[in-house]
Amino acid sequence: MRIDLHTHSNVSDGTGTPAQVMREAAEAGLDVVALTDHDAVDGWGEAAAEAERLGLSFVPGIEVSAKDRWVSIHMLALWPRPDDAALAEILALTREARVGRARTMVERISVDYALEWEDVVTHAGDAATVGRPHIADALVARGHFARRDDVFAEVLHNSSPYYVHHYAPDVHDAVRAIRAAGGVPVFAHPAAHARGRVVPDRVIASLAEAGLAGLEVDHRDHDAEAVARLSALAERHGLIRTGSSDYHGTGKLNRLGENLTSVEAFEALEAQRG
C-alpha cells in the first residue's frame, strides 16, 4: 500500500480542489491519502466522496497551526471529530488571526512591491484559510517573482522584515486538544530549518508526554542528518515514524507520494483513533 498523510487543497494553500487532489492521488498510485488543509475541515466532504468513487481510503485531517514560544509549529491532526467544540474554536481563532496578519504583511510589502489586498483576496478565492502562499501567488501574478518558492525565499520567510507573527495555540495545548477531539497528532516537518527556527529535542520529548503520536520524519525539507536525528528521537520516545509529500498542487515542487508512510506505521496511528 502507498500511503500519503499530508496534502493540501485550495481550501487552504493548495492549488487544486479537494476532489482534484484525490484524483491526482489516484493517478499517482496512492492507496491511502489524507487531506490536511491548514486549520480547516471544509474540504473533507468533497474529498471523501471523490476518494470513495476512486476506491481510495480517505483520512480526514487538519494541519493545525501552533507554537512553542516564538517558534512556529505545524501539527497534523488525523481523524479528529469535526464537531469538537474546543478544537473548532482554536481553528477559528487561528483563521481569523491569519487574515489580520496577512493584511499587515501586504501593507509592509506594498511599500517595496506593487501589491494590493485585493490581489491576495483574488488568489485566496474561497479558501477557508488565508495565508502567506496567497500573498506569494499575488506577487507572482504581478510579475515580481517567477515561482511561489522564490517569494518565500526572498520576501516571506520568517526572518523577513515583512514577516508578522499571528495567534496560534501553544503546541502542548494543541496536542491535547487534538487528542480530546479523538484525533491522532503527528508533528509535521519538525526539522525543516529552511522554514525558520525549529524546536530542540527536549520539546519533542515533552510533546511525547503530552500525547504526541508521531513524527513526520521523511519529508522533502529534511536532509539526511535531520532524518537520522528524527528517527532516533522517534525510537527513543516511542513515536511513530511517518513520511508524507506535503503536496500543494502546482504551488510547490512537492509531488504526491514522494515520501510515504509504511503500512505498519499507518496501522499504529489508526489504532490510536479516539
Side-chain angles (χ1 to χ4, degrees), residues 42-207:
D42 303 51
W44 287 5
E46 179 184 330
E50 188 67 4
E52 182 178 10
R53 187 185 72 82
L54 295 167
L56 292 174
S57 293
F58 174 68
V59 176
I62 311 164
E63 187 166 5
V64 178
S65 301
K67 66 181 179 181
D68 177 69
R69 299 183 181 179
W70 291 108
V71 180
S72 177
I73 294 173
H74 289 173
M75 189 66 58
L76 299 178
L78 305 175
W79 301 288
R81 292 186 298 274
D83 58 351
D84 182 85
L87 183 58
E89 182 178 6
I90 287 173
L91 301 180
L93 286 171
T94 304
R95 290 195 303 270
E96 182 179 352
R98 279 179 175 272
V99 173
R101 175 253 205 136
R103 281 184 172 274
T104 302
M105 289 187 73
V106 168
E107 289 175 4
R108 294 182 180 183
I109 292 167
S110 66
V111 174
D112 299 315
Y113 298 89
L115 183 69
E116 297 180 359
W117 176 246
E118 288 70 22
D119 299 330
V120 178
V121 171
T122 297
H123 286 277
D126 295 327
T129 304
V130 178
R132 284 182 292 171
H134 301 119
I135 299 175
D137 292 343
L139 286 166
V140 170
R142 282 274 194 168
H144 298 301
F145 297 89
R147 297 182 303 120
R148 183 189 279 186
D149 284 350
D150 297 334
V151 185
F152 271 87
E154 295 292 329
V155 175
L156 296 178
H157 57 84
N158 291 10
S159 300
S160 164
Y162 309 111
Y163 183 80
V164 176
H165 289 281
H166 67 91
Y167 163 81
D170 174 81
V171 67
H172 297 82
D173 293 336
V175 165
R176 286 187 280 267
I178 291 166
R179 284 291 193 182
V184 182
V186 175
F187 197 148
H189 41 73
H193 293 277
R195 295 171 179 246
R197 295 172 60 195
V198 298
V199 296
D201 294 358
R202 61 175 174 75
V203 173
I204 292 176
S206 67
L207 288 172

